[in-house]
Amino acid sequence: MADLTRTEAAVLDAVDEVAAVGLLCRLVAVPSVGGTAAESEVQALVAGELDALGCDVDRWAVDLAAAAGAPDAPGQEVTREEAWGVVGTLPGTGDGDPALVLCGHSDVVPTGDRALWAGDPFTPRVDGGAVHGRGTCDMKGGLVAALAALAAVRAAGVRLRRPVALHSVVGEEDGGLGAWATLARGHRGDACVIPEPTDGAVVTAAAGALTFRLEVTGHAAHAAMRDRGVSAVELFAEVHADLRAFEAERQRDADPRFAGERYPYGLSVGTVHAGDWASTVPDRLVAEGRYGVRLGEPVEAARAAFEARVAALCAGHPWLSAHPVRVTWTGGAFASGELPPGAELLDQVRGAVVDAGGPPPPERAVTAGTDLRLYAAAGIPTLHLGPGDLHLAHGPAERVPVAEVTAVARALALLTLRRCGVA
């Protein structure tokens, strides 16, 4: 642990845990599920916080028509009538791009069966040292940690030499619309930290993920004489079994940063719809799922490998050879992404964590697609450091420890001083 300067110590002391918890509860109370009006409402709330901090705030309506037609757009899985980008910049005494970008997404996934929750998922509660509710972990806790870091810099009266920016984005859960639009608008920086939940680690790589649709064709018949039909459900069972084997093959020789993860590049079928009458052999089945992209694997290559596997199964099947499964790619497309080897940001973040009072964080990779790959593709060294455990995200036990929100805020505040400099 390095000796802190008086300014660094003052900024760490200025991190306000009570204010952070209050802000997190206000954000969680906005049910900002992707594609709903609340997605815009929560962005307005964040913009107001940034304005109150004295940031230069850029708030704009994302051009959804342009996003739908742009060849490099990441795609969407929900329908939106509007989407808003928000960037707040604490200016420095000098010009140029921010020395540091903090990026967080404010959209959340649906709650699922609310009966499985201990309470209303959008009525945040503090219990057992954690804030509970949808979005606490993924990732409003991290967004609040970033805001708390900027608030501490302002509260300590520090003037920065170079700017620091906070990008608040939507649409991360279904592809990365907000981050894509923010970068397309010209917002850049020398380095970026995304405070997604990392459970005490620094995450320097993220696998990709693609959404696929399978259409399986059978032959309808009366269920009482099912031998005269060909069930699309039974055909899909064979397809699914082969995809499970394909998934197992793709886990081999995974990057060691995925240590402890059984499926670094998981393949999962999320929805299945078949048939239109209970006593008819189903002649059509549509399944949709998620397919992991290996680190460094081009999206086009990942798609080709999947399509070739399905085609090979069909070619050797007595029915599917004449009625092949149709594969299409829908929704969000997450490429993989990683911090360039040797990038100074990793040691800087680790140093900030330790000097802010935390243990040395291990380096890990995450199996989920994230906005990291968009910033990395834009040439901005990027990693994750954030409060919470990703294994709790998207589930009814979602929560984030208050102490972790505070610890990350302290580390980000220290990192801000060291990257941006004190005037």
Side-chain angles (χ1 to χ4, degrees):
M1 183 173 178
D3 291 333
L4 299 176
T5 67
R6 293 178 63 181
T7 300
E8 289 175 340
V11 168
L12 292 183
D13 287 343
V15 173
D16 189 336
E17 182 172 278
V18 173
V21 170
L23 176 57
L24 178 54
C25 288
R26 292 198 300 278
L27 290 179
V28 172
V30 181
S32 51
V33 175
T36 67
E39 199 178 33
S40 296
E41 180 185 346
V42 78
Q43 285 289 82
L45 195 160
V46 173
E49 291 294 320
L50 290 167
D51 187 62
L53 289 175
C55 293
D56 297 330
V57 180
D58 182 17
R59 182 173 183 262
W60 74 97
V62 175
D63 188 336
L64 295 177
D72 65 335
Q76 301 177 63
E77 296 182 10
V78 299
T79 300
R80 289 182 172 86
E81 295 184 0
E82 65 174 8
W84 288 86
V86 171
V87 170
T89 304
L90 274 182
T93 57
D95 297 326
D97 287 337
L100 178 65
V101 169
L102 305 175
C103 174
H105 69 85
S106 60
D107 60 306
V108 302
V109 298
T111 62
D113 185 355
R114 293 199 175 203
L116 300 177
W117 290 77
D120 184 335
F122 294 114
T123 301
R125 59 190 177 87
V126 181
D127 183 51
V131 182
H132 299 248
R134 173 55 86 228
T136 51
C137 173
D138 187 15
M139 63 163 288
K140 290 177 178 178
L143 182 56
V144 165
L147 286 163
L150 298 190
V153 171
R154 294 292 287 177
V158 175
R159 296 180 64 206
L160 301 174
R161 285 204 303 267
R162 293 190 60 194
V164 59
L166 189 147
H167 298 180
S168 183
V169 301
V170 297
E172 190 275 346
E173 295 289 0
D174 66 304
L177 169 70
W180 174 84
T182 298
L183 292 165
R185 192 168 173 84
H187 290 288
R188 292 289 193 276
D190 290 355
C192 176
V193 174
I194 303 177
E196 290 273 13
T198 60
D199 195 24
V202 174
V203 169
T204 56
L210 304 174
T211 304
F212 63 84
R213 176 180 293 136
L214 303 175
E215 296 177 56
V216 182
T217 300
H219 181 70
H222 195 295
M225 296 164 283
R226 70 180 184 87
D227 57 311
R228 299 187 182 185
V230 179
S231 170
V233 171
E234 294 177 13
L235 291 171
F236 176 69
E238 297 181 61
V239 174
H240 187 254
D242 192 64
L243 288 178
R244 290 288 298 275
F246 179 54
E247 176 193 43
E249 294 169 12
R250 286 178 60 82
Q251 310 314 305
R252 296 172 187 164
D253 302 318
D255 191 288
R257 285 173 289 181
F258 288 112
E261 294 292 347
R262 186 176 178 185
Y263 299 110
Y265 312 112
L267 192 163
S268 176
V269 174
T271 65
V272 178
H273 303 280
D276 55 12
W277 193 253
S279 61
T280 297
V281 174
D283 60 0
R284 185 171 184 269
L285 178 145
V286 177
E288 294 182 321
R290 180 262 194 207
Y291 166 58
V293 178
R294 294 173 61 91
L295 290 183
E297 179 182 36
V299 165
E300 296 77 11
R303 286 174 173 160
F306 185 97
E307 292 169 1
R309 183 65 177 231
V310 174
L313 170 69
C314 293
H317 191 279
W319 175 266
L320 294 176
S321 59
H323 309 83
V325 175
R326 184 185 180 204
V327 179
T328 53
W329 301 97
T330 63
F334 292 85
S336 68
E338 58 185 317
L339 184 73
E344 64 179 4
L345 182 63
L346 175 58
D347 286 341
Q348 290 174 342
V349 169
R350 280 176 156 166
V353 170
V354 172
D355 293 346
E363 183 182 1
R364 295 281 187 264
V366 66
T367 61
T370 75
D371 282 340
L372 182 154
R373 98 280 187 190
L374 293 171
Y375 285 84
I380 302 171
T382 303
L383 55 71
H384 293 314
L385 173 76
D389 182 350
L390 186 62
H391 294 94
L392 295 175
H394 296 206
E398 185 173 3
R399 61 188 181 274
V400 65
V402 171
E404 291 186 22
V405 174
T406 303
V408 170
R410 286 166 57 86
L412 294 179
L414 204 52
L415 181 69
T416 298
L417 295 184
R418 292 174 176 179
R419 282 203 60 90
C420 298
V422 178

